[in-house]
Amino acid sequence: MLSTIQQLLEKRDTKTLTHALIHSSRWLLGERLHYGPVQQRGLMANWLDIMSRSGSIEQCSTLQSGNIDAGLFCLTSSSSKTYFVTMCEHNDGAIKQLLQWVDSASLAKHCADDENEAGSTSATSVDFWPEPDPLQLSEFDPQLHQYTTHAGISDVLYGSLSDALNTKLTAWWHIWQGFDSAGIESVYTGESHLSVNSTVVNGEGTTSSSIASWLTQLEGKLHRRYSQLEQVVADNNSVLVRWRIDADIKTDNGLVRVRLPIVTMLTFKQNKIESEYWVIDALAFEKRFSTPLPF
């Protein structure tokens, strides 16, 4: 079912996606859930407008597990790259939910550059980006896990992992949840690729010290940071992780408590991370908390 969004983006095929979306389908974009044909056709039209401005689209990785398909895509132009992740949950040819997380800051830059090339003097954010849903709830249900407050990989896993890969993914989570900088070398190599939106943290040939530096920066700018898993979808050597960070950040109005949703696509090779992409919706964050991301 992931092909429906590919056909929309690559072939402008709105018919296939329209038929797959039913009355109860929900489509997440900009941290807002859209329901019904009126809202969802608007999203299709806006995506088609974005694609008309883009040079090409590349599918970087995919995974399939049961009724869930997910993929990492990259929109490229002459001046920028925009990564986004799409996850589709389906049943008998119908889409139950279509969730999208977009590097919206890069997308806004791309749209602004396009407007400037066309002679426009305005260089603003993406005009149609929705207002986020006002209420954010954790998808980790403590009633289902009465003996722990910290979700582990096995608590939220959809699909299956080998014991070795489960161990490595658990070690990865300890790094980002528990500030375990000593564990970096056990899951990353010098050839591992880690990027946060369009910023490469650890490119091929660099050392793991760059990942440690990013972890330290994250810990330093997000005060009282608490990380929680929401969902893990696994397929062979590819894993999608939905998680969030609750933290205080310094703003002009003092400390503000925020919740930062993150989606991460990981690919493992010989039980080491080969590539890792974080996607964070900066525009949704700024709209919700009236402050930019602190990094």
Coordinates of all heavy atoms in Angstrom, one line a residue, residues 100-131:
Q100 N 2.6 10.7 8.1 CA 3.7 11.3 7.4 C 4.4 12.2 8.3 O 3.8 13.1 9.0 CB 3.3 12.0 6.1 CG 2.9 11.1 5.0 CD 2.5 11.9 3.8 OE1 1.6 12.6 3.7 NE2 3.4 11.7 2.8
W101 N 5.7 12.1 8.4 CA 6.6 13.0 9.1 C 7.6 13.7 8.2 O 8.3 12.9 7.5 CB 7.3 12.3 10.3 CG 6.4 11.6 11.2 CD1 5.9 12.1 12.4 CD2 5.9 10.2 11.1 NE1 5.1 11.2 13.0 CE2 5.1 10.0 12.2 CE3 6.1 9.2 10.2 CZ2 4.5 8.8 12.5 CZ3 5.5 8.0 10.4 CH2 4.7 7.8 11.5
V102 N 7.6 15.0 8.1 CA 8.4 15.7 7.1 C 9.4 16.6 7.7 O 9.1 17.3 8.7 CB 7.4 16.5 6.2 CG1 8.2 17.2 5.0 CG2 6.3 15.6 5.6
D103 N 10.6 16.7 7.1 CA 11.6 17.7 7.5 C 11.0 19.0 6.9 O 11.4 19.5 5.9 CB 12.9 17.3 6.8 CG 14.0 18.4 7.0 OD1 13.7 19.4 7.8 OD2 15.0 18.3 6.4
S104 N 10.1 19.6 7.7 CA 9.4 20.8 7.2 C 10.2 22.0 7.1 O 9.9 22.9 6.3 CB 8.1 21.0 8.1 OG 8.5 21.1 9.4
A105 N 11.3 22.1 7.8 CA 12.2 23.3 7.7 C 12.9 23.3 6.4 O 12.9 24.3 5.7 CB 13.2 23.3 8.9
S106 N 13.3 22.1 5.9 CA 14.0 22.1 4.6 C 12.9 22.3 3.5 O 13.2 22.9 2.5 CB 14.6 20.7 4.4 OG 15.7 20.6 5.3
L107 N 11.7 21.8 3.7 CA 10.6 21.9 2.7 C 10.3 23.4 2.6 O 10.1 23.9 1.5 CB 9.4 21.1 3.2 CG 8.3 21.1 2.1 CD1 8.7 20.4 0.9 CD2 7.1 20.4 2.7
A108 N 10.2 24.1 3.7 CA 10.0 25.6 3.7 C 11.1 26.3 2.9 O 10.8 27.2 2.1 CB 9.8 26.1 5.1
K109 N 12.3 25.9 3.2 CA 13.4 26.6 2.4 C 13.3 26.3 0.9 O 13.5 27.2 0.1 CB 14.8 26.0 3.0 CG 16.0 26.6 2.3 CD 17.3 26.0 2.9 CE 18.5 26.7 2.2 NZ 18.6 26.5 0.8
H110 N 12.9 25.1 0.6 CA 12.8 24.7 -0.8 C 11.7 25.5 -1.5 O 11.9 26.1 -2.6 CB 12.4 23.2 -0.9 CG 12.1 22.8 -2.3 ND1 13.0 22.7 -3.3 CD2 10.9 22.4 -2.8 CE1 12.3 22.3 -4.4 NE2 11.1 22.1 -4.1
C111 N 10.6 25.7 -0.8 CA 9.5 26.5 -1.3 C 9.8 28.0 -1.4 O 9.5 28.6 -2.4 CB 8.2 26.3 -0.5 SG 7.5 24.7 -0.5
A112 N 10.6 28.5 -0.4 CA 11.0 29.9 -0.5 C 12.0 30.1 -1.6 O 11.9 31.1 -2.3 CB 11.6 30.3 0.9
D113 N 12.9 29.2 -1.8 CA 13.9 29.3 -2.9 C 13.2 29.3 -4.2 O 13.5 30.1 -5.2 CB 14.9 28.2 -2.9 CG 15.9 28.4 -1.7 OD1 15.9 29.5 -1.1 OD2 16.6 27.4 -1.4
D114 N 12.1 28.5 -4.3 CA 11.4 28.4 -5.6 C 10.6 29.7 -5.8 O 10.6 30.2 -7.0 CB 10.4 27.2 -5.5 CG 9.6 27.1 -6.8 OD1 10.1 26.5 -7.8 OD2 8.4 27.5 -6.8
E115 N 10.0 30.3 -4.8 CA 9.3 31.6 -4.9 C 10.3 32.7 -5.3 O 10.0 33.5 -6.2 CB 8.6 31.9 -3.6 CG 7.4 31.0 -3.3 CD 6.9 31.3 -1.9 OE1 7.4 32.2 -1.3 OE2 5.9 30.6 -1.6
N116 N 11.5 32.7 -4.8 CA 12.5 33.7 -5.1 C 12.9 33.6 -6.5 O 13.1 34.6 -7.2 CB 13.7 33.6 -4.2 CG 13.3 34.1 -2.7 OD1 12.3 34.8 -2.5 ND2 14.1 33.6 -1.8
E117 N 13.1 32.4 -7.0 CA 13.5 32.2 -8.4 C 12.4 32.7 -9.4 O 12.7 33.1 -10.5 CB 13.8 30.7 -8.7 CG 15.1 30.2 -8.0 CD 15.3 28.7 -8.2 OE1 14.5 28.1 -8.9 OE2 16.2 28.2 -7.7
A118 N 11.1 32.6 -8.9 CA 10.0 33.0 -9.7 C 9.8 34.5 -9.6 O 8.9 35.1 -10.2 CB 8.8 32.3 -9.3
G119 N 10.7 35.2 -8.8 CA 10.5 36.7 -8.7 C 9.8 37.2 -7.5 O 9.5 38.4 -7.4
S120 N 9.4 36.3 -6.6 CA 8.7 36.7 -5.4 C 9.6 37.2 -4.4 O 10.8 36.8 -4.3 CB 7.9 35.5 -4.9 OG 7.4 35.8 -3.6
T121 N 9.2 38.2 -3.6 CA 10.0 38.8 -2.6 C 9.8 38.1 -1.2 O 10.5 38.4 -0.3 CB 9.8 40.3 -2.5 OG1 8.4 40.5 -2.2 CG2 10.2 41.0 -3.7
S122 N 8.8 37.2 -1.1 CA 8.5 36.6 0.1 C 9.2 35.3 0.3 O 9.2 34.5 -0.7 CB 6.9 36.4 0.3 OG 6.5 35.5 -0.7
A123 N 9.8 35.1 1.4 CA 10.5 33.8 1.7 C 10.0 33.3 3.1 O 10.6 33.6 4.1 CB 12.0 34.0 1.7
T124 N 8.8 32.7 3.1 CA 8.2 32.3 4.3 C 8.1 30.8 4.4 O 8.8 30.1 3.7 CB 6.8 32.9 4.4 OG1 6.0 32.4 3.3 CG2 6.9 34.4 4.3
S125 N 7.4 30.3 5.4 CA 7.2 28.9 5.6 C 6.2 28.3 4.6 O 5.7 29.0 3.7 CB 6.7 28.6 7.1 OG 5.4 29.2 7.2
V126 N 6.0 27.0 4.7 CA 5.0 26.4 3.8 C 3.6 26.9 4.2 O 3.1 26.6 5.3 CB 5.1 24.8 4.0 CG1 4.2 24.2 2.9 CG2 6.5 24.4 3.8
D127 N 3.0 27.5 3.2 CA 1.7 28.2 3.5 C 0.6 27.3 4.0 O -0.1 27.7 4.9 CB 1.2 29.0 2.3 CG 2.1 30.1 1.9 OD1 2.8 30.6 2.8 OD2 2.2 30.5 0.7
F128 N 0.5 26.1 3.4 CA -0.6 25.2 3.8 C -0.3 24.4 5.0 O -1.2 23.6 5.4 CB -0.9 24.3 2.6 CG 0.0 23.1 2.4 CD1 -0.2 21.9 3.1 CD2 1.1 23.2 1.6 CE1 0.7 20.9 3.0 CE2 1.9 22.1 1.4 CZ 1.7 21.0 2.1
W129 N 0.9 24.5 5.6 CA 1.2 23.6 6.7 C 0.2 23.7 7.8 O -0.1 24.8 8.3 CB 2.6 23.9 7.3 CG 3.3 22.6 7.7 CD1 3.7 22.3 9.0 CD2 3.7 21.5 6.9 NE1 4.3 21.1 9.0 CE2 4.3 20.6 7.8 CE3 3.7 21.3 5.6 CZ2 4.9 19.4 7.3 CZ3 4.2 20.1 5.1 CH2 4.8 19.2 6.0
P130 N -0.4 22.6 8.2 CA -1.6 22.7 9.1 C -1.2 23.0 10.6 O 0.0 22.9 11.0 CB -2.2 21.2 9.1 CG -1.0 20.4 8.7 CD -0.2 21.2 7.8
E131 N -2.2 23.6 11.3 CA -2.0 23.8 12.7 C -2.0 22.4 13.4 O -2.9 21.6 13.1 CB -3.1 24.7 13.3 CG -3.0 26.1 12.8 CD -1.8 26.9 13.3 OE1 -1.4 26.5 14.5 OE2 -1.3 27.8 12.7

